[in-house]
Amino acid sequence: MSENRFLDNGDGTVTDTLTQLMWMKNDSYLDLQKFVKYSAALKYMNKKNEESYAGYNDWRLPHKREAHSIFDKMKSLNDKYDMTIHIDPVFAEGCGYDTWTSNIRGKITAYCYSFNSGAGGHKEVDDILNTSVRLVRGDFDNSKSKVEHVPEIR
């Protein structure tokens, strides 16, 4: 992958030149200083859209393949607990370990993706244990990243 894959736009966003997605540089943990359950992640997203964060009002939760697309075992930064997560250091340190995604099973569970392991799994939507959300916008261009399967946590 290119050294300049991720571009810091200087407005709190990061553009992924490989997938054409724009990510928030901070996640919800950094903004709120607390972890969130799934419903709070949706409220956070709605608030960012109402504010037109960085001039945009189409922020959303990432699909699990989109979250997996920024995982890079060769890159690292530290999360809130000084645990290593594998995303480009262009993103802000001190963030959450994982992210809620838009993948849900009914009203009971939602998929949570770990930036430490590069895998994920469904957890109860009311669970707040160390979970945050990293919002994204744009159309996922998978032609170069070729993300097909996202490993499940075992």
Side-chain angles (χ1 to χ4, degrees), residues 128-139:
I128 60 169
L129 183 62
N130 301 337
T131 307
S132 57
V133 66
R134 185 173 299 278
L135 299 178
V136 67
R137 61 174 299 279
D139 294 323

mmCIF file with all atom_site columns, all heavy atoms in Angstrom, residues 128-139:
data_model
loop_
_atom_site.group_PDB
_atom_site.id
_atom_site.type_symbol
_atom_site.label_atom_id
_atom_site.label_alt_id
_atom_site.label_comp_id
_atom_site.label_asym_id
_atom_site.label_entity_id
_atom_site.label_seq_id
_atom_site.pdbx_PDB_ins_code
_atom_site.Cartn_x
_atom_site.Cartn_y
_atom_site.Cartn_z
_atom_site.occupancy
_atom_site.B_iso_or_equiv
_atom_site.pdbx_formal_charge
_atom_site.auth_seq_id
_atom_site.auth_comp_id
_atom_site.auth_asym_id
_atom_site.auth_atom_id
_atom_site.pdbx_PDB_model_num
ATOM 1  N N   . ILE A 1 128 ? -21.828 -1.547 26.198 1.00 0.00 ? 128 ILE A N   1
ATOM 2  C CA  . ILE A 1 128 ? -20.970 -0.369 26.041 1.00 0.00 ? 128 ILE A CA  1
ATOM 3  C C   . ILE A 1 128 ? -19.517 -0.660 26.383 1.00 0.00 ? 128 ILE A C   1
ATOM 4  O O   . ILE A 1 128 ? -18.690 0.231  26.408 1.00 0.00 ? 128 ILE A O   1
ATOM 5  C CB  . ILE A 1 128 ? -21.453 0.840  26.890 1.00 0.00 ? 128 ILE A CB  1
ATOM 6  C CG1 . ILE A 1 128 ? -21.480 0.489  28.372 1.00 0.00 ? 128 ILE A CG1 1
ATOM 7  C CG2 . ILE A 1 128 ? -22.774 1.349  26.400 1.00 0.00 ? 128 ILE A CG2 1
ATOM 8  C CD1 . ILE A 1 128 ? -21.674 1.667  29.285 1.00 0.00 ? 128 ILE A CD1 1
ATOM 9  N N   . LEU A 1 129 ? -19.200 -1.908 26.635 1.00 0.00 ? 129 LEU A N   1
ATOM 10 C CA  . LEU A 1 129 ? -17.857 -2.267 27.049 1.00 0.00 ? 129 LEU A CA  1
ATOM 11 C C   . LEU A 1 129 ? -16.834 -1.888 25.983 1.00 0.00 ? 129 LEU A C   1
ATOM 12 O O   . LEU A 1 129 ? -16.710 -2.555 24.961 1.00 0.00 ? 129 LEU A O   1
ATOM 13 C CB  . LEU A 1 129 ? -17.785 -3.765 27.359 1.00 0.00 ? 129 LEU A CB  1
ATOM 14 C CG  . LEU A 1 129 ? -16.449 -4.270 27.867 1.00 0.00 ? 129 LEU A CG  1
ATOM 15 C CD1 . LEU A 1 129 ? -16.087 -3.608 29.186 1.00 0.00 ? 129 LEU A CD1 1
ATOM 16 C CD2 . LEU A 1 129 ? -16.480 -5.773 28.020 1.00 0.00 ? 129 LEU A CD2 1
ATOM 17 N N   . ASN A 1 130 ? -16.118 -0.788 26.210 1.00 0.00 ? 130 ASN A N   1
ATOM 18 C CA  . ASN A 1 130 ? -15.005 -0.347 25.363 1.00 0.00 ? 130 ASN A CA  1
ATOM 19 C C   . ASN A 1 130 ? -15.345 -0.207 23.878 1.00 0.00 ? 130 ASN A C   1
ATOM 20 O O   . ASN A 1 130 ? -14.523 -0.500 23.025 1.00 0.00 ? 130 ASN A O   1
ATOM 21 C CB  . ASN A 1 130 ? -13.816 -1.296 25.516 1.00 0.00 ? 130 ASN A CB  1
ATOM 22 C CG  . ASN A 1 130 ? -13.344 -1.373 26.945 1.00 0.00 ? 130 ASN A CG  1
ATOM 23 O OD1 . ASN A 1 130 ? -13.571 -0.459 27.733 1.00 0.00 ? 130 ASN A OD1 1
ATOM 24 N ND2 . ASN A 1 130 ? -12.698 -2.453 27.297 1.00 0.00 ? 130 ASN A ND2 1
ATOM 25 N N   . THR A 1 131 ? -16.542 0.234  23.552 1.00 0.00 ? 131 THR A N   1
ATOM 26 C CA  . THR A 1 131 ? -16.941 0.354  22.159 1.00 0.00 ? 131 THR A CA  1
ATOM 27 C C   . THR A 1 131 ? -17.144 1.819  21.788 1.00 0.00 ? 131 THR A C   1
ATOM 28 O O   . THR A 1 131 ? -17.746 2.584  22.524 1.00 0.00 ? 131 THR A O   1
ATOM 29 C CB  . THR A 1 131 ? -18.224 -0.453 21.886 1.00 0.00 ? 131 THR A CB  1
ATOM 30 O OG1 . THR A 1 131 ? -18.020 -1.789 22.327 1.00 0.00 ? 131 THR A OG1 1
ATOM 31 C CG2 . THR A 1 131 ? -18.548 -0.464 20.414 1.00 0.00 ? 131 THR A CG2 1
ATOM 32 N N   . SER A 1 132 ? -16.634 2.177  20.619 1.00 0.00 ? 132 SER A N   1
ATOM 33 C CA  . SER A 1 132 ? -16.808 3.516  20.074 1.00 0.00 ? 132 SER A CA  1
ATOM 34 C C   . SER A 1 132 ? -17.249 3.369  18.626 1.00 0.00 ? 132 SER A C   1
ATOM 35 O O   . SER A 1 132 ? -17.496 2.267  18.152 1.00 0.00 ? 132 SER A O   1
ATOM 36 C CB  . SER A 1 132 ? -15.502 4.314  20.189 1.00 0.00 ? 132 SER A CB  1
ATOM 37 O OG  . SER A 1 132 ? -14.458 3.637  19.529 1.00 0.00 ? 132 SER A OG  1
ATOM 38 N N   . VAL A 1 133 ? -17.331 4.486  17.926 1.00 0.00 ? 133 VAL A N   1
ATOM 39 C CA  . VAL A 1 133 ? -17.658 4.433  16.504 1.00 0.00 ? 133 VAL A CA  1
ATOM 40 C C   . VAL A 1 133 ? -16.781 5.428  15.757 1.00 0.00 ? 133 VAL A C   1
ATOM 41 O O   . VAL A 1 133 ? -16.501 6.521  16.247 1.00 0.00 ? 133 VAL A O   1
ATOM 42 C CB  . VAL A 1 133 ? -19.163 4.700  16.237 1.00 0.00 ? 133 VAL A CB  1
ATOM 43 C CG1 . VAL A 1 133 ? -19.570 6.124  16.605 1.00 0.00 ? 133 VAL A CG1 1
ATOM 44 C CG2 . VAL A 1 133 ? -19.518 4.410  14.779 1.00 0.00 ? 133 VAL A CG2 1
ATOM 45 N N   . ARG A 1 134 ? -16.304 5.019  14.597 1.00 0.00 ? 134 ARG A N   1
ATOM 46 C CA  . ARG A 1 134 ? -15.546 5.898  13.707 1.00 0.00 ? 134 ARG A CA  1
ATOM 47 C C   . ARG A 1 134 ? -16.399 6.085  12.458 1.00 0.00 ? 134 ARG A C   1
ATOM 48 O O   . ARG A 1 134 ? -16.632 5.143  11.700 1.00 0.00 ? 134 ARG A O   1
ATOM 49 C CB  . ARG A 1 134 ? -14.195 5.296  13.342 1.00 0.00 ? 134 ARG A CB  1
ATOM 50 C CG  . ARG A 1 134 ? -13.335 6.256  12.513 1.00 0.00 ? 134 ARG A CG  1
ATOM 51 C CD  . ARG A 1 134 ? -11.937 5.725  12.305 1.00 0.00 ? 134 ARG A CD  1
ATOM 52 N NE  . ARG A 1 134 ? -11.211 5.522  13.541 1.00 0.00 ? 134 ARG A NE  1
ATOM 53 C CZ  . ARG A 1 134 ? -10.571 6.489  14.223 1.00 0.00 ? 134 ARG A CZ  1
ATOM 54 N NH1 . ARG A 1 134 ? -10.576 7.732  13.785 1.00 0.00 ? 134 ARG A NH1 1
ATOM 55 N NH2 . ARG A 1 134 ? -9.923  6.204  15.336 1.00 0.00 ? 134 ARG A NH2 1
ATOM 56 N N   . LEU A 1 135 ? -16.900 7.300  12.262 1.00 0.00 ? 135 LEU A N   1
ATOM 57 C CA  . LEU A 1 135 ? -17.820 7.575  11.161 1.00 0.00 ? 135 LEU A CA  1
ATOM 58 C C   . LEU A 1 135 ? -17.089 7.723  9.829  1.00 0.00 ? 135 LEU A C   1
ATOM 59 O O   . LEU A 1 135 ? -15.917 8.090  9.773  1.00 0.00 ? 135 LEU A O   1
ATOM 60 C CB  . LEU A 1 135 ? -18.631 8.835  11.455 1.00 0.00 ? 135 LEU A CB  1
ATOM 61 C CG  . LEU A 1 135 ? -19.503 8.778  12.713 1.00 0.00 ? 135 LEU A CG  1
ATOM 62 C CD1 . LEU A 1 135 ? -20.218 10.112 12.918 1.00 0.00 ? 135 LEU A CD1 1
ATOM 63 C CD2 . LEU A 1 135 ? -20.504 7.635  12.653 1.00 0.00 ? 135 LEU A CD2 1
ATOM 64 N N   . VAL A 1 136 ? -17.835 7.459  8.762  1.00 0.00 ? 136 VAL A N   1
ATOM 65 C CA  . VAL A 1 136 ? -17.301 7.468  7.407  1.00 0.00 ? 136 VAL A CA  1
ATOM 66 C C   . VAL A 1 136 ? -18.339 8.093  6.478  1.00 0.00 ? 136 VAL A C   1
ATOM 67 O O   . VAL A 1 136 ? -19.526 8.173  6.817  1.00 0.00 ? 136 VAL A O   1
ATOM 68 C CB  . VAL A 1 136 ? -16.954 6.015  6.960  1.00 0.00 ? 136 VAL A CB  1
ATOM 69 C CG1 . VAL A 1 136 ? -18.207 5.171  6.822  1.00 0.00 ? 136 VAL A CG1 1
ATOM 70 C CG2 . VAL A 1 136 ? -16.119 5.986  5.706  1.00 0.00 ? 136 VAL A CG2 1
ATOM 71 N N   . ARG A 1 137 ? -17.901 8.521  5.326  1.00 0.00 ? 137 ARG A N   1
ATOM 72 C CA  . ARG A 1 137 ? -18.823 8.998  4.296  1.00 0.00 ? 137 ARG A CA  1
ATOM 73 C C   . ARG A 1 137 ? -18.247 8.637  2.925  1.00 0.00 ? 137 ARG A C   1
ATOM 74 O O   . ARG A 1 137 ? -17.052 8.388  2.797  1.00 0.00 ? 137 ARG A O   1
ATOM 75 C CB  . ARG A 1 137 ? -19.079 10.504 4.407  1.00 0.00 ? 137 ARG A CB  1
ATOM 76 C CG  . ARG A 1 137 ? -17.855 11.374 4.246  1.00 0.00 ? 137 ARG A CG  1
ATOM 77 C CD  . ARG A 1 137 ? -18.200 12.858 4.220  1.00 0.00 ? 137 ARG A CD  1
ATOM 78 N NE  . ARG A 1 137 ? -19.060 13.185 3.119  1.00 0.00 ? 137 ARG A NE  1
ATOM 79 C CZ  . ARG A 1 137 ? -18.649 13.391 1.858  1.00 0.00 ? 137 ARG A CZ  1
ATOM 80 N NH1 . ARG A 1 137 ? -17.377 13.303 1.549  1.00 0.00 ? 137 ARG A NH1 1
ATOM 81 N NH2 . ARG A 1 137 ? -19.516 13.671 0.921  1.00 0.00 ? 137 ARG A NH2 1
ATOM 82 N N   . GLY A 1 138 ? -19.117 8.597  1.932  1.00 0.00 ? 138 GLY A N   1
ATOM 83 C CA  . GLY A 1 138 ? -18.699 8.300  0.571  1.00 0.00 ? 138 GLY A CA  1
ATOM 84 C C   . GLY A 1 138 ? -19.085 6.908  0.135  1.00 0.00 ? 138 GLY A C   1
ATOM 85 O O   . GLY A 1 138 ? -19.649 6.122  0.899  1.00 0.00 ? 138 GLY A O   1
ATOM 86 N N   . ASP A 1 139 ? -18.795 6.617  -1.122 1.00 0.00 ? 139 ASP A N   1
ATOM 87 C CA  . ASP A 1 139 ? -19.064 5.304  -1.710 1.00 0.00 ? 139 ASP A CA  1
ATOM 88 C C   . ASP A 1 139 ? -17.795 4.478  -1.685 1.00 0.00 ? 139 ASP A C   1
ATOM 89 O O   . ASP A 1 139 ? -16.742 4.926  -2.142 1.00 0.00 ? 139 ASP A O   1
ATOM 90 C CB  . ASP A 1 139 ? -19.560 5.451  -3.151 1.00 0.00 ? 139 ASP A CB  1
ATOM 91 C CG  . ASP A 1 139 ? -20.916 6.136  -3.223 1.00 0.00 ? 139 ASP A CG  1
ATOM 92 O OD1 . ASP A 1 139 ? -21.757 5.885  -2.343 1.00 0.00 ? 139 ASP A OD1 1
ATOM 93 O OD2 . ASP A 1 139 ? -21.125 6.944  -4.149 1.00 0.00 ? 139 ASP A OD2 1
#
